[in-house]
Each structure stands twice: as structure tokens, then as C-alpha cells.
Amino acid sequence: MLVVCALVGEARAEPSAQTSACVHVEEELAAARLELERVTTALRTAETRAAAADALRVEIERATRALEEREAAARSCEAARNDLCTAARRFAEGIAAGQVETTGLRECLDPADRQALVARLSGWSNASSTLGDFVAYATGESDRIPSLGPSSGSMLERRLARLFATGNGTPLVFRRLLVEAMEQVAPRALATLKAKPGQLDRWFSSDAPLDDAIVQEAHEGAAGKSDGFPRGALAKALGLVDAYRIVARCDGPSPARACHRARQLAQMLESSGPLVLRRRMQDVWATECSSLTDTVVHGWLTDLPKGELPEAQVEALVQTVHAKLVTCFLRDSAAGSSFSAWVATKLPAPKDLTASTLARFVELERLWQPGSPTDRCVRAVRTLQTLPAPSECSAPSALVASVEDWLAAVPAVDRSKASFELGVCDRLARALFRGENASIPDHFPAPPTIEDAVRLTPGAPPSNMQQLRAFCRDRVGQGEAFVTALRTLGRLGKALGESPALPPWNLDATTLLPIELGRIGRSEDVSVWLRSLLDEDAACSVLELGSERCRVCRERSDESLYDCGLLQGVRTSWATRTRSSVLSLSLLAGFGGLLVWGVRLRRAEIGVEGVRAALERAESEGSPLRVWVESEIAEPTSPGGAVLRTLAAGGVERPHELRRIAARVFRDQFAATGVARTLSPGEADRRAEEAAGVVVRTLGESGLLRAHGDPTEPEGYELPDGIIRRILRSSASSSGV
């Protein structure tokens, strides 16, 4: 530094040229001083950071030690939790197996709690075993009545012990049968017993006589004095009581206490006259018709309480038996037509009856009177049930006779006083006639109503009567036979309340004729006929047939449909009328042409020879007149042409012979055009002969033919000698005819 300063001093003494070099050194010195300060500052900063890093290192070491301590604690807790879960799992598995496994949990459970748990598990096991025995008993796998084993005193065991009580206990599991039995015959008395807690249980366990209120209520219901008495209640109640006595082993060595009440209820239901009678009626209706035998019927009218039943009630039982027999006969369509013959096989022989029972069976036989309204109705039902399968709309004589015989007896019957069996028969017969699938069930759980007795089954296969009605609706039939059958069935339907104007009959309500027959007269109107020349469906419009029905009639190749036959008749009539009109117009035109031709000849004032020559030219082959006569007036394939050519070849012909010739041509035309395929053979002949008569009459009235005999009823016709006859005769000779 001193050197530098000396140099600097010396330099100051030097000239100004050396001044700039010193300045440069000072600048470097200042820069070095600044760098020294920066380095010093960086050193201090580094020392500070080093101290902080040491402190942080110490903190990290402390945190690491704490983390290790916590991990050790967590591992210890996890091990403890696993041990606890293992112990809890063993405990749960033991509970499921009916054991108390407390290994690992002893410090958690109080000994008293463990003992209570063991007792509870023992009760559960005992109850489970008992319920398993009950399931086997209820499903029929075992006949041993379930009972509870040695009890640990748990609440569940105490309840099951009462539910499946043995010895002189009261098993509640079956007592519901007795409750339901009382609900059927004495619901008010049962409600009174239920009003106070425990009273019903005490009543079942009591040995006291049966309450008067129960007996009185049951008697009132049996006598019909109780509005809420269920149908079939007596039979149901006795069945429930009997079921209880069986399942509760009431006849065994150690009956339950409630068996005493069961015997009391059974005795009331079996020995009380009105109750026995009511239950017997229910048994009658509950018996299946398919199991009906003389033994079954004998049991219905025997073993009745002596001296306890009024005669009117016994008669009511006999009437019930009679109604059951009639309904079973109506149900079986294969049982024959005679109820008397059928029921004779279901009644016991008189020699097997006591005097009182014989009197009841005599009364039973007296209820059936041959020829009575019920007998007539039954015969009508049997005819409807056995109606043969129809092929068209027809009225079988057996069906008509039986239904008419039944209907003749209907006005004399007072429906309000009619017997049950007549009401059932009437409802069944009307349903069968309407084509409904009606039947009578095999048995009834309680006395049925008329509506219950006759069941309608929608969707079942159609009956033969339903098919017959469908054929009538679809007009399947021909001619007068169809009209007669339809009118007969429509008349029967009207008597049964049906409207003959509605399907399936579709008759005129006044005349009872098919509505199509009343419309066919419209076809005689000239305007309608003229419209048919332009509209091929004009005939369908006349008969008011829909487009679909009109299409069906066009596609059918026979005349099995009545309305289609009428439709074809209208069309044939119009075709004949058209041909006749065309023929008449042709004849008039021919006469007009001849007249004009004659006038022209006269005006020409030619001589006889000229006239003869002109006539010969007119009659020559290919002349316009000859062509016109041969092709228009006497066209070979037309009925009128055939008649004219026959007369031209011969002399006088009788009308019937001319009609025969024209009819033959008409039949040929029917065959050629396909019309014959739509007509029956007899109908085709009839229509051909009718059209032939029109042609012959038209030719006679036109003046073209000369009549012989009475002009109104000619004995014969001839074609006058003239140009037409000569042309036709010449045409026949040239053709070799």
C-alpha cells in the first residue's frame, strides 16, 4: 500500500499523463473492497444457516424417536385388537353352536352375566328343537306331538311351554280352531269373552257348562233370526271343533283342559235339533254330485233328533234334498232325459227304510210331478245340452218341441213363489238358449242362491247352441227351409225376451220374416234396375249388405248362404229383364226397318217382278237384312232366337215346348257364365224356366208370333209366313239343321 501511495505521490509530481493510471488503480481498489464486503456477508449468512441446520437436525432426530414410539404403540394396539376380534369370533361361533366361549373375554364378562347367557342359550336351543318337532308334525313327517324339553326358565321357553302344553295343559297352538268355530256360530258371545284380558283363556280352561248366551246365539243363527249368520257356518264350526279334538288328542289318556269346551261345542252342534237340521242341509249341498249314491241320500234323511224338529223343518230338509238331486241331474248332460228314471237309481230301496224315514222319501218322490213346469224345464235343458252339432241354421224338431212345451208352462208360474230348482232350471235354460257356456258346480260349501248355482264360463269352447245361433247370424242355409227355421228360432227367442230384430235372428219385428226378404221387393223398381246397369253392387245396396258381405257372396261358389242366394236371385232377375228388354227393342227396331223398307218399295211403284226380285236380293246370303235378322232378331245362342228358329223350321208349337227350348238355352248360359255354380240344381232349373216363360210371353205380346186359341192363354204359337220366316228357314237349311 505504501508503495502504491509513494508511486501515487510521485505520480502527482509527474505530469498529468500519469494521473489517469492512478485513478484506475483506485477503482480496482474500491471494487475489491466491495467484493470483500459481499463475501463477508455471505460468510455470515452461511454461518447462520449452518446453525439453523444443526437445530433442524436435532428436531428431526426427536421427531424420529417419537414416530418410532407411536409405531410401537400402534403395533401393540393392533395386536390387542386382533386378539379381541379372535375372541369375539370364537364367542359368536360358540353362541351359534349353543355354547358360551369366553376365552380372551373373561376380564370383560361378569360371571353372573355369563351364567345368564348360558341359560338363555339353553332356552334357545330347547325352543329351536321344539319348533323343529312342530314343523315335522305340521308337515306330516312325524306324528309325535311337539313338547318342550327341560326348561332353563327363559321367557321363550315359558311361552313355548304354553303353546305346546302337554298333560293337562291347554296347547294354544290348536286352540285357534275352537276360536274360529265360535266365530262362526256365536261371534257376539266370543267378543264378550275377549273384552277383558285373560277372560277367554280362563273360559277355555273352565269346567263350567256352556254359556247360555252361546247356545242362544247359535240357535238364533240356525233358525235364520240372526242377520250376520254366515252361510255354511254350522258345518264349518263342527268341522273346526272335530279337527281340534283330533289334533289335541282329546280322546287320549291325558286330554287338554280345552277339550272339555270342545266336547261341549260339538254336543251343541250335533244334538240340537235346529242346528242339526241346518248342518244337515249344508252337508247336502257340500256333497259332490259325482259321489251321489243311494247310501249318501239315505244318510241325509236319517238320524234326526226325535221329537225336536217341527214338521215344517223336516219338510224343508226334504225340499233341500230334492233341490240337490235336481241340480245334480241338470249338471250331468249324460244322465238321460228322464229325471224320474235317473233319481230311481239314487234312492234307497223301501225295505231298507224305517217307517219315519220311508215317509220322508215318499214326500221326496211326491215333490217331482211329471208334466209340471219343473219337469218341462228340465227336459228343455237336456235338449239344449244334447243338441247335435249343426251344419246350418236349422230348427231341430226336438229342440222346438221341448222349448215350446217349457214356455207354455212359464206364464202359469208365479216367479215369487217358484221353487229353487225351477229357478235354477229356468236360469240355466235361458243361458243355454242364448248360447252361453253355463254349468252347475259339483258341490257348494253352503246352500247356494240361484245365481250361485248357475255359473257362466266366458271363453269356453262354443256350445252347439252357440254354433247354431252363429249359423243363423251368418245366414247359413237355403230357401224356405232357412226361412222357416229362422222364424221358428226367432219366435222362441222373442218368447224368452230376445229382440227378433237383433242378431242373430235379424227378423222383421212384425212379420218375423228375414229382413233381407222384405228388402228384395225394391229390386222391382225400374230406376233401381236401370242403376244396376252401371253399378255392379246395386243388388247389395238393395239388400243393404255391407261391402265385406257383398265380397263374400261374390267369392262363394254355392248358394249355402241365404242372403247370398237372394242377392244372386236379384242379379239373375235383372239379367233376365235386361235380355227381355233388349229383345223387345230389337224386335221393334226390326219391325220399324221392315215397315220403312215396305214404304220405300210402294213409293218406288215397281212391278210385282221388281218386288219379287228385291225380296230375293234381301233374302240372299250376306244381304244387310238377312244379316240383321240372323244376328239381332234370332241370334242362335239367345233363348228368343232359339224359339224363333224352331218356329221357322216347323209349324204351330205349344207354349210349353217353346218354354222348354228357351229354358234349355238359359241353362246353357248359366253353365257357360258360371252362374250355375252359385245355384243349387233345383234352383237353376226353376230360374231357367221362369226366364223362359218371360221370353215366350214377350215374343207373343210383341206381335211377331201368331197366337192360336184364347189370346190370353194361347194353345200354340206360329211364326207367320214372311221374310223373317223365310230367312230363318233358309239359314237352317244352309247350316244343315
Side-chain angles (χ1 to χ4, degrees):
M1 180 67 69
L2 293 176
V3 175
V4 174
C5 291
L7 291 176
V8 171
E10 292 179 359
R12 290 177 179 174
E14 292 292 331
S16 58
Q18 298 179 349
T19 302
S20 59
C22 188
V23 172
H24 179 70
V25 172
E26 290 177 351
E27 292 177 352
E28 291 181 350
L29 182 60
R33 188 180 293 111
L34 292 175
E35 180 63 22
L36 179 61
E37 291 177 355
R38 186 187 66 78
V39 171
T40 302
T41 302
L43 178 61
R44 291 193 192 99
T45 301
E47 290 175 349
T48 302
R49 289 179 177 176
D54 291 340
L56 183 61
R57 187 178 299 107
V58 172
E59 181 66 22
I60 290 174
E61 291 175 354
R62 186 186 64 78
T64 300
R65 288 193 299 272
L67 177 62
E68 291 174 352
E69 292 174 357
R70 291 179 181 178
E71 287 178 347
R75 286 193 296 272
S76 176
C77 181
E78 180 71 16
R81 188 188 70 81
N82 291 338
D83 292 341
L84 182 61
C85 289
T86 301
R89 183 170 60 254
R90 287 197 298 266
F91 178 78
E93 292 173 349
I95 293 294
Q99 301 174 353
V100 180
E101 177 59 53
T102 60
T103 302
L105 299 175
R106 293 184 180 277
E107 60 275 10
C108 300
L109 291 176
D110 186 86
D113 294 336
R114 184 179 184 280
Q115 184 177 0
L117 185 58
V118 169
R120 179 67 58 87
L121 285 178
S122 176
W124 287 353
S125 177
N126 193 10
S128 177
S129 176
T130 303
L131 290 175
D133 293 342
F134 177 68
V135 170
Y137 177 76
T139 58
E141 297 178 1
S142 172
D143 293 330
R144 186 175 68 87
I145 297 179
S147 60
L148 195 68
S151 175
S152 62
S154 66
M155 178 62 69
L156 179 60
E157 288 178 299
R158 289 197 298 271
R159 290 180 177 176
L160 285 178
R162 190 178 179 199
L163 189 63
F164 300 108
T166 57
N168 196 31
T170 303
L172 300 182
V173 69
F174 303 128
R175 201 172 78 181
R176 187 66 199 180
L177 296 171
L178 298 180
V179 173
E180 290 296 335
M182 292 185 62
E183 190 71 47
Q184 292 291 322
V185 296
R188 295 195 303 273
L190 177 63
T192 302
L193 292 174
K194 290 181 177 180
K196 295 181 180 179
Q199 185 175 359
L200 182 62
D201 187 56
R202 290 191 296 273
W203 182 85
F204 274 112
S205 302
S206 174
D207 294 334
L210 200 62
D211 304 53
D212 292 338
I214 296 176
V215 177
Q216 181 179 357
E217 186 176 357
H219 278 243
E220 290 177 353
K225 299 179 181 179
S226 177
D227 296 336
F229 202 74
R231 293 170 55 197
L234 296 176
K236 293 177 183 177
L238 184 59
L240 291 168
V241 172
D242 290 341
Y244 176 83
R245 296 178 66 183
I246 292 173
V247 297
R249 301 290 198 274
C250 288
D251 296 330
S254 301
R257 287 195 297 270
C259 286
H260 175 67
R261 290 300 190 191
R263 283 191 292 270
Q264 289 178 333
L265 291 172
Q267 184 178 7
M268 178 190 71
L269 295 171
E270 291 176 342
S271 61
S272 176
L275 295 180
V276 170
L277 186 66
R278 184 70 176 267
R279 184 172 57 83
R280 186 68 58 86
M281 292 180 180
Q282 295 174 0
D283 291 342
V284 168
W285 288 113
T287 302
E288 297 178 350
C289 290
S290 55
S291 63
L292 209 58
T293 62
D294 56 346
T295 303
V296 173
V297 178
H298 180 268
W300 288 343
L301 296 177
T302 56
D303 299 330
L304 297 176
K306 297 181 179 180
E308 295 187 23
L309 294 176
E311 190 63 28
Q313 294 184 2
V314 176
E315 290 178 359
L317 175 60
V318 173
Q319 180 66 44
T320 299
V321 173
H322 182 262
K324 174 67 174 180
L325 292 172
V326 172
T327 54
C328 287
F329 178 74
L330 290 173
R331 181 182 183 276
D332 187 5
S333 60
S337 60
S338 173
F339 173 79
S340 299
W342 175 83
V343 79
T345 65
K346 307 298 180 183
L347 300 181
K351 62 182 181 62
D352 299 331
L353 305 175
T354 63
S356 59
T357 306
L358 179 61
R360 295 168 192 153
F361 277 96
V362 170
E363 175 64 17
L364 180 63
E365 293 178 344
R366 186 190 63 80
L367 290 175
W368 184 261
Q369 296 293 330
S372 64
T374 304
D375 177 44
R376 296 181 182 185
C377 180
V378 167
R379 292 181 182 275
V381 166
R382 185 64 80 239
T383 304
L384 289 165
Q385 290 173 330
T386 58
L387 183 70
S391 59
E392 61 179 0
C393 179
S394 61
S397 57
L399 172 66
V400 175
S402 62
V403 175
E404 285 181 340
D405 187 48
W406 162 48
L407 292 176
V410 169
V413 176
D414 185 352
R415 291 184 176 274
S416 63
K417 299 179 181 179
S419 64
F420 173 80
E421 51 268 35
L422 179 56
V424 170
C425 181
D426 184 85
R427 175 175 166 82
L428 179 60
R430 293 175 184 272
L432 291 175
F433 188 85
R434 290 193 300 268
E436 297 175 329
N437 289 284
S439 61
I440 296 177
D442 191 42
H443 65 283
F444 302 91
T449 63
I450 293 177
E451 289 71 22
D452 293 335
V454 180
R455 305 281 178 85
L456 303 181
T457 310
S463 64
N464 289 345
M465 187 62 195
Q466 186 176 350
Q467 295 179 15
L468 177 62
R469 293 170 67 95
F471 282 141
C472 294
R473 179 198 62 210
D474 297 337
R475 290 342 208 196
V476 180
Q478 301 181 38
E480 289 299 322
F482 172 82
V483 175
T484 302
L486 189 67
R487 295 188 68 189
T488 301
L489 295 176
R491 175 171 51 81
L492 296 179
K494 182 178 181 181
L496 290 172
E498 298 184 27
S499 172
L502 297 178
W505 316 125
N506 292 328
L507 298 171
D508 183 272
T510 304
T511 63
L512 291 185
L513 288 172
I515 54 176
E516 301 92 341
L517 199 59
R519 299 167 182 165
I520 200 170
R522 305 173 187 172
S523 64
E524 300 299 327
D525 192 316
V526 175
S527 62
V528 176
W529 164 61
L530 292 175
R531 189 169 67 249
S532 70
L533 300 177
L534 302 176
D535 182 8
E536 63 176 0
D537 291 333
C540 293
S541 300
V542 168
L543 297 181
E544 297 184 16
L545 301 182
S547 58
E548 179 63 22
R549 188 63 176 178
C550 197
R551 183 190 61 79
V552 169
C553 291
R554 281 198 300 268
E555 294 177 353
R556 293 294 289 260
S557 59
D558 55 21
E559 203 179 41
S560 60
L561 302 180
Y562 175 75
D563 52 351
C564 292
L566 292 180
L567 182 66
Q568 186 59 41
V570 170
R571 288 172 173 167
T572 302
S573 175
W574 284 348
T576 301
R577 189 171 188 176
T578 301
R579 289 181 179 275
S580 300
S581 299
V582 170
L583 178 61
S584 300
L585 292 174
S586 299
L587 292 174
L588 290 175
F591 281 122
L594 290 175
L595 181 61
V596 172
W597 180 65
V599 170
R600 288 178 177 177
L601 286 178
R602 182 177 296 277
R603 288 179 178 177
E605 295 182 354
I606 60 177
V608 175
E609 294 298 330
V611 173
R612 183 177 294 112
L615 289 175
E616 290 176 355
R617 286 194 303 272
E619 296 174 11
S620 62
E621 188 74 25
S623 68
L625 177 61
R626 180 164 184 155
V627 172
W628 177 75
V629 170
E630 291 178 343
S631 62
E632 298 294 335
I633 296 181
E635 197 272 327
T637 60
S638 71
V643 170
L644 290 174
R645 290 173 181 271
T646 299
L647 291 172
V652 179
E653 295 288 348
R654 293 187 176 276
H656 68 84
E657 180 63 23
L658 298 178
R659 287 194 294 270
R660 184 187 64 78
I661 295 171
R664 183 181 66 248
V665 178
F666 272 118
R667 282 192 289 269
D668 293 341
Q669 290 182 349
F670 288 168
T673 59
V675 173
R677 291 193 300 272
T678 66
L679 303 174
S680 63
E683 183 66 14
D685 291 340
R686 184 186 67 79
R687 296 190 179 185
E689 291 171 0
E690 181 181 275
V694 173
V695 169
V696 173
R697 185 171 65 253
T698 302
L699 288 173
E701 294 174 352
S702 67
L704 186 61
L705 304 182
R706 180 183 298 164
H708 289 265
D710 187 356
T712 59
E713 292 291 337
E715 298 177 359
Y717 288 104
E718 69 171 334
L719 184 62
D721 194 13
I723 189 170
I724 294 179
R725 180 167 184 169
R726 289 195 299 273
I727 290 175
L728 293 178
R729 186 184 300 140
S730 174
S731 176
S733 300
S734 63
S735 62
V737 180

